[in-house]
Amino acid sequence: MQIKIIDNIYWLGVNDRRKALFENIWQLPQGVAYNSYLITDAKTALIDTVDIAAADDYVQRLHEHLQGRTLDYLIINHIEPDHSGMIDTLVRLYPDVKIIGNKLTFKLLENLFGIADNLHEVADGDTLNLGMHTLRFILTPWVHWPETMMTYDADNGLLFSGDVFGSFGTLDGALFDDETDSGFFESEMRRYYSNIVGKYSNMVQKTLTKLHDTPIHIICPTHGLIWRGEPSKPITLYDRWSKYEANRGVVVAFASMYGHTEKIADYLARRMAEQGVRNIRVFDVSKTHLSFLISEIWNYTGLLLGSCAYNGNAHPKMEQLCTELSHIGVKNKHLGIFGSYSWSGGAVKSLSAFAEAASLPPVAQPVEIKGSLTNSRFADCDTLATALAAAILA
Ligand code: FEO
């Protein structure tokens, strides 16, 4: 079966429903697709490949699409192994294939695969004529690897964007945004963005600036839907996320061993709701995977972190969340902190250290409660909830 994007350009991707963790960390409950694209012009060109673990009939399909022709060019927009997994195989099958990439692509190509021959290095703005299609290469370094670039077909306004605008989730019949309700993919795009790309938001902004005057009719990312119905939608979302703009609301993330900290979380959530905060999302960090927590946190303006004490610090699951939030450089949040302990505390100290390191000053004095929440501490909780609600609603 051939799946045509436009004349002479075909989707050659694969769905991966077996892998549990992307990059061996991010959960894949709905799988992931690796999108590869083939152009069959006077010259033939493949844009990115797929993960070797999901290759299955990829080579056979490529062979069938080529209909006896050879592969002239292999364009590497991004060399992370979920897209470069088949390069080695293709170089052996098509020994004359010319590999297109930039200077950094080729350093990584040699390091990862030991390939250093038949290379054609491109710089920003260079073009490659295939016959009817002329491709332009747009270097977009550090989104999210150093070598990342895009390939643009100006005649058709078609952008092969690499990971940018990609999302988790397999392509279940529908490949294009106008063939399905795109809500799931928008949510999974935010999860992909916040988990993997968000740390490099400043480089995303540079990329969007670079693309600003480029007519884009179809976006072909390496993961998730191809956007031809509303290509402006992923661009708008990326612009917001990379500016750290979020929706009004709050994520309440708590770690609790025996329920005391959870009760404080519920109390604070209720108090914020009474003051008009909508979109209050409460999560047990021991139950909800880091991947989804980060995505939700990216989505809302408020963040309320609470933990029981554990070995003189916060609970390990909360420590892990804070570490990852520090790594990805979470910004622009109205932050509140609370904790509980039985004898010597430590959670609030740890959460406060995170807040200071992340330059996220709490909106109010953290609340730390010994034992269970009692009437004597309601007022402190009310002060915290009121301050956070006011910041969110301002
Ligand atoms: Fe889809 Fe950065 O790999």
Side-chain angles (χ1 to χ4, degrees):
M1 179 173 62
Q2 289 193 334
I3 299 177
K4 190 167 89 170
I5 314 289
I6 59 171
D7 283 347
N8 302 326
I9 300 185
Y10 301 91
W11 178 79
L12 213 66
V14 296
N15 283 319
D16 187 348
R17 296 187 173 91
R18 293 190 177 185
K19 188 178 285 183
L21 297 173
F22 190 80
E23 296 183 343
N24 219 8
I25 177 170
W26 312 113
Q27 281 189 341
L28 293 173
Q30 305 292 329
V32 65
Y34 313 112
N35 296 335
S36 169
Y37 302 94
L38 178 67
I39 305 177
T40 55
D41 204 335
K43 294 285 186 183
T44 60
L46 188 67
I47 301 177
D48 292 316
T49 74
V50 300
D51 191 300
I52 198 163
D56 268 347
D57 60 350
Y58 177 76
V59 168
Q60 178 65 25
R61 284 165 56 218
L62 173 61
H63 185 70
E64 286 168 7
H65 277 69
L66 287 171
Q67 297 182 331
R69 301 174 63 187
T70 191
L71 182 64
D72 295 306
Y73 297 107
L74 171 58
I75 297 167
I76 304 175
N77 274 344
H78 182 27
I79 203 168
E80 190 167 2
D82 53 329
H83 309 295
S84 63
M86 296 303 292
I87 289 178
D88 210 23
T89 303
L90 293 181
V91 165
R92 276 187 274 113
L93 285 172
Y94 303 98
D96 295 327
V97 67
K98 190 75 85 182
I99 300 177
I100 310 273
N102 59 65
K103 189 187 279 282
L104 288 169
T105 316
F106 292 149
K107 279 189 182 166
L108 292 164
L109 183 68
E110 184 158 20
N111 292 344
L112 288 169
F113 300 104
I115 295 173
D117 297 325
N118 274 356
L119 310 182
H120 177 72
E121 185 180 314
V122 293
D124 191 38
D126 282 358
T127 58
L128 175 71
N129 181 262
L130 300 177
M132 310 240 296
H133 298 267
T134 298
L135 303 177
R136 177 154 59 86
F137 302 102
I138 304 170
L139 269 58
T140 58
W142 284 111
V143 185
H144 60 120
W145 275 34
E147 91 300 354
T148 46
M149 67 180 201
M150 297 181 180
T151 299
Y152 179 63
D153 175 350
D155 293 328
N156 298 288
L158 202 154
L159 183 69
F160 300 96
S161 61
D163 279 350
V164 177
F165 311 127
S167 64
F168 294 124
T170 50
L171 297 168
D172 298 343
L175 253 78
F176 299 91
D177 64 311
D178 54 19
E179 294 179 333
T180 184
D181 296 334
S182 61
F184 165 76
F185 285 100
E186 287 171 39
S187 172
E188 286 293 82
M189 187 189 297
R190 190 186 66 239
R191 193 161 69 90
Y192 194 97
Y193 182 84
S194 58
N195 291 185
I196 293 167
V197 180
K199 178 181 175 69
Y200 307 92
S201 287
N202 62 328
M203 301 309 285
V204 172
Q205 275 295 307
K206 286 184 181 174
T207 294
L208 295 179
T209 300
K210 207 169 191 177
L211 293 175
H212 188 262
D213 295 322
T214 304
I216 298 171
H217 304 311
I218 304 177
I219 294 176
C220 297
T222 46
H223 302 287
L225 287 179
I226 297 165
W227 296 82
R228 73 177 175 192
E230 288 187 88
S232 61
K233 185 176 268 187
I235 296 173
T236 302
L237 290 172
Y238 254 62
D239 189 39
R240 289 198 73 219
W241 295 333
S242 58
K243 286 176 176 164
Y244 301 96
E245 292 177 3
N247 295 316
R248 191 172 284 184
V250 59
V251 170
V252 182
F254 71 85
S256 186
M257 284 189 287
Y258 298 104
H260 296 116
T261 316
E262 181 173 6
K263 285 200 172 78
I264 305 170
D266 278 330
Y267 181 86
L268 291 166
R270 179 62 201 151
R271 281 288 184 251
M272 287 191 289
E274 286 172 349
Q275 292 175 60
V277 177
R278 303 178 74 94
N279 298 316
I280 300 172
R281 309 272 285 144
V282 179
F283 295 99
D284 181 340
V285 299
S286 297
K287 188 168 182 187
T288 302
H289 192 272
L290 195 61
S291 176
F292 292 90
L293 293 171
I294 290 170
S295 181
E296 291 291 329
I297 288 168
W298 210 281
N299 196 30
Y300 291 109
T301 52
L303 176 60
L304 183 54
L305 297 175
S307 176
C308 56
Y310 198 100
N311 288 337
N313 287 289
H315 187 278
K317 285 290 186 182
M318 181 57 75
E319 295 278 347
Q320 186 188 18
L321 173 62
C322 290
T323 298
E324 194 54 35
L325 290 175
S326 297
H327 288 174
I328 64 173
V330 68
K331 289 183 177 57
N332 215 20
K333 300 291 168 201
H334 304 300
L335 179 69
I337 290 172
F338 66 97
S340 72
Y341 66 101
S342 296
W343 56 90
S344 65
V348 163
K349 175 198 70 180
S350 175
L351 292 173
S352 298
F354 155 74
E356 187 172 353
S359 300
L360 292 172
V363 296
Q365 186 70 26
V367 176
E368 189 163 36
I369 289 174
K370 187 169 188 177
S372 58
L373 178 60
T374 60
N375 292 351
S376 66
R377 300 304 303 275
F378 284 162
D380 294 336
C381 288
D382 291 347
T383 301
L384 173 57
T386 301
L388 191 51
I392 292 165
L393 297 172

